[in-house]
Amino acid sequence: MKAELRGNPPPISLQNPSLFNTPQNSLSGALRGCLGSLDGACIEKLLLHCASALESNDVTLAQQVMWVLNNVASSMGDPNQRLTSWFLRALISRASRVCPTTAVNFSGSSGLQRRLMTVTELAGYVDLIPWHRFGFCAANSTIFNAIQGCPRVHILDFSITHCMQWPTLIDALAKRPEGPPSLRITVPSFRPPVPPLLNVSSEEVGLRLANFAKFRDVPFEFNVIEDSSSSTMGEMISRESSSLYSESLLNHLNPSMLDLRGDEALVVNCQNWLRYLPDDQKGRAQNVSLRDTFLEVIKGLNPQILVVVDEDADLGASSLTSRITTCFNYFWIPFDALETFLPKDNHQRIEYEADIGHKIEDIITYEGLQRIERLESGPKLSQRMKSSGFLSIPFCEETVREVKFLLDEHASGWGMKREEDMLVLTWKGHNSIFATAWFPSGLED
């Protein structure tokens, strides 16, 4: 998908540097040393130049840079070109919001199309690269060890992947020497409006899990935390109201509403979830962010273990240029990984990259509470957890072996390392996903 810019200016040719000479020589300066060889570093430089122009409301200069990027961007090119096409699309979207009359846009498109997957398609999506399976494996192994000997287990599951994590754990529990526990899984009806999106309801997912658990002779119960303010099946929650739904969810996280039982071991699982809780303290009581409030509420439930898995990048900065730098260097990872084993025109690859494009558009286009993606790095999350009164649970060698065995099924560029409290998935040495495990400090006795 080549970005098509509307307007009168002719496309800027990389072989005609005189066209870059603005009065401030700023565009020519951005391209100095890059002509004829637009590698990742030069593309990043152009993206930052465009971001600076947009932050200063210089739409004319932003358009000029976009024309240059348009010569590079291609959704069927190499990883840098494919990634650039999504950044260009996001920058055009932001420019259109800053100046609605500006003559830049994708022809015939005002937004990204959201697709609904079948359960089978979701399984293939999860298996494509270890982006999600790494967290599933590390979490399930740690949870399995934490609940050894427990006859009843209740998992409070906060995840964007529609319970795809749990069949593997159910299968492992079925093989326990002492027999499987009675397992209960509770999920919220609220879900952040982000990919992957499924074409069946949470209740249908629960029914499928129940059938699998019955097949494996694991006593099973599935519950949905109902909230009348949540969207119905197939409807997307607006950006403006997403934080309100998150806050409403907190009111349901109490022992009574969750039907917590004294004979159950409580497990809380957060897979790619905390980032969608706003971290802005403005307008909240005692200047405590919703993210910290959530952790405080979870701590009050006294879980036996809390697992947090997320993408290892800082994308919550208020500065657009800072977000672009981190975003470009971070999301290069899945684009490069997909290049190693899928053809350029592979439909599954294009759709996976489009889902990353959703994230890029959100990170670049929106500000304040309208921006949904607010990632924080693993080290920052670890500090937040400790400040919230949680203690780290080290990953045992058995868990490390299981994760390594999983990674052996994928391309050789994937690796794993330990960093303080975390296990970290890497691609060619670059951090991509972190996994951590915690318990409330009051439970150490």
Side-chain angles (χ1 to χ4, degrees):
M1 172 177 49
K2 189 82 168 178
E4 296 183 13
L5 301 177
R6 293 204 302 259
N8 295 322
I12 291 177
S13 168
L14 297 181
Q15 281 70 46
N16 191 354
S18 64
L19 290 173
F20 305 138
N21 291 327
T22 64
Q24 302 85 4
N25 291 320
S26 49
L27 183 52
S28 59
L31 284 163
R32 188 172 294 119
C34 293
L35 290 179
S37 177
L38 284 183
D39 59 9
C42 189
I43 292 171
E44 181 185 345
K45 193 174 183 180
L46 285 167
L47 292 172
L48 292 176
H49 204 60
C50 187
S52 296
L54 290 174
E55 285 189 310
S56 60
N57 293 321
D58 189 343
V59 178
T60 300
L61 177 57
Q63 280 185 268
Q64 291 181 304
V65 183
M66 289 176 191
W67 278 109
V68 180
L69 290 168
N70 191 52
N71 281 273
V72 180
S74 170
S75 66
M76 295 298 171
D78 64 31
N80 279 334
Q81 291 174 312
R82 298 167 83 102
L83 184 58
T84 301
S85 72
W86 288 107
F87 271 85
L88 178 57
R89 184 167 193 159
L91 287 166
I92 290 171
S93 177
R94 184 181 179 100
S96 299
R97 291 172 61 84
V98 171
C99 182
T101 60
T102 188
V104 288
N105 209 336
F106 279 93
S107 60
S109 176
S110 59
L112 296 175
Q113 295 298 312
R114 304 283 174 99
R115 63 190 177 95
L116 298 178
M117 285 185 274
T118 65
V119 173
T120 301
E121 287 171 335
L122 179 60
Y125 178 95
V126 167
D127 288 341
L128 194 59
I129 58 177
W131 205 258
H132 294 290
R133 292 185 69 201
F134 165 81
F136 292 173
C137 183
N140 284 349
S141 178
T142 304
I143 291 170
F144 184 87
N145 291 330
I147 61 175
Q148 282 187 358
C150 298
R152 296 180 180 274
V153 178
H154 183 186
I155 298 176
L156 185 55
D157 183 32
F158 300 96
S159 172
I160 65 169
T161 48
H162 309 280
C163 297
M164 289 298 295
Q165 174 178 349
W166 302 124
T168 303
L169 180 64
I170 290 172
D171 188 63
L173 292 174
K175 301 172 183 176
R176 282 203 324 188
E178 69 271 31
S182 175
L183 177 63
R184 189 156 62 107
I185 295 178
T186 298
V187 301
S189 57
F190 160 79
R191 184 185 181 281
V194 296
L197 305 176
L198 198 60
N199 67 351
V200 300
S201 66
S202 296
E203 288 77 9
E204 174 65 21
V205 169
L207 181 60
R208 291 168 183 258
L209 278 178
N211 289 336
F212 180 75
K214 183 178 180 179
F215 173 73
R216 300 297 288 127
D217 293 324
V218 175
F220 185 80
E221 182 181 337
F222 187 86
N223 299 299
V224 179
I225 305 172
E226 294 294 347
D227 185 348
S228 59
S229 62
S230 293
S231 64
T232 59
M233 173 61 189
E235 294 178 343
M236 297 304 298
I237 298 172
S238 69
R239 294 178 178 278
E240 292 80 359
S241 61
S242 181
S243 62
L244 297 178
Y245 287 114
S246 298
E247 191 150 8
S248 176
L249 173 65
L250 293 180
N251 297 327
H252 292 73
L253 299 184
N254 60 70
S256 175
M257 295 292 290
L258 295 172
D259 188 25
L260 297 188
R261 303 164 191 173
D263 61 345
E264 288 180 327
L266 179 63
V267 173
V268 179
N269 181 67
C270 290
Q271 297 268 341
N272 303 298
W273 183 272
L274 284 181
R275 79 176 91 153
Y276 298 114
L277 298 178
D279 198 30
D280 191 348
Q281 300 176 356
K282 295 179 181 178
R284 291 190 50 78
Q286 301 176 346
N287 288 327
V288 178
S289 74
L290 191 61
R291 198 172 302 181
D292 288 329
T293 301
F294 174 84
L295 291 175
E296 185 64 27
V297 170
I298 294 300
K299 183 187 176 190
L301 299 177
N302 289 321
Q304 188 150 326
I305 185 173
L306 164 63
V307 178
V308 180
V309 176
D310 219 322
E311 297 171 351
D312 195 10
D314 274 317
L315 290 171
S318 58
S319 164
L320 175 61
T321 53
S322 295
R323 295 204 303 272
I324 282 182
T325 296
T326 304
C327 190
F328 186 77
N329 287 283
Y330 180 71
F331 285 118
W332 162 84
I333 295 173
F335 277 79
D336 189 61
L338 292 169
E339 172 81 0
T340 62
F341 70 100
L342 288 178
K344 296 184 185 300
D345 60 350
N346 179 271
H347 182 68
Q348 193 177 23
R349 174 179 177 179
I350 292 170
E351 289 192 333
Y352 198 100
E353 291 173 345
D355 283 349
I356 301 171
H358 281 282
K359 296 182 182 183
I360 294 171
E361 183 186 42
D362 183 85
I363 291 163
I364 292 176
T365 303
Y366 299 98
E367 298 292 345
L369 290 178
Q370 285 195 321
R371 178 157 48 84
I372 299 171
E373 296 282 343
R374 298 182 187 86
L375 269 172
E376 63 182 345
S377 67
K380 283 191 175 181
L381 184 279
S382 291
Q383 185 55 53
R384 182 188 295 274
M385 296 299 300
K386 293 171 183 176
S387 298
S388 297
F390 287 88
L391 298 176
S392 174
I393 299 176
F395 289 96
C396 67
E397 291 302 321
E398 181 182 355
T399 297
V400 172
R401 285 195 299 271
E402 289 185 25
V403 173
K404 287 182 177 179
F405 182 78
L406 165 70
L407 297 183
D408 286 343
E409 301 176 10
H410 293 272
S412 59
W414 295 105
M416 185 200 65
K417 62 182 178 181
R418 296 189 193 222
E419 286 190 355
E420 297 183 359
D421 308 311
M422 306 178 294
L423 285 184
V424 181
L425 174 69
T426 63
W427 172 253
K428 297 181 178 179
H430 298 273
N431 287 18
S432 59
I433 309 293
F434 69 84
T436 58
W438 308 86
F439 69 97
S441 59
L443 295 182
E444 66 265 30
D445 296 331

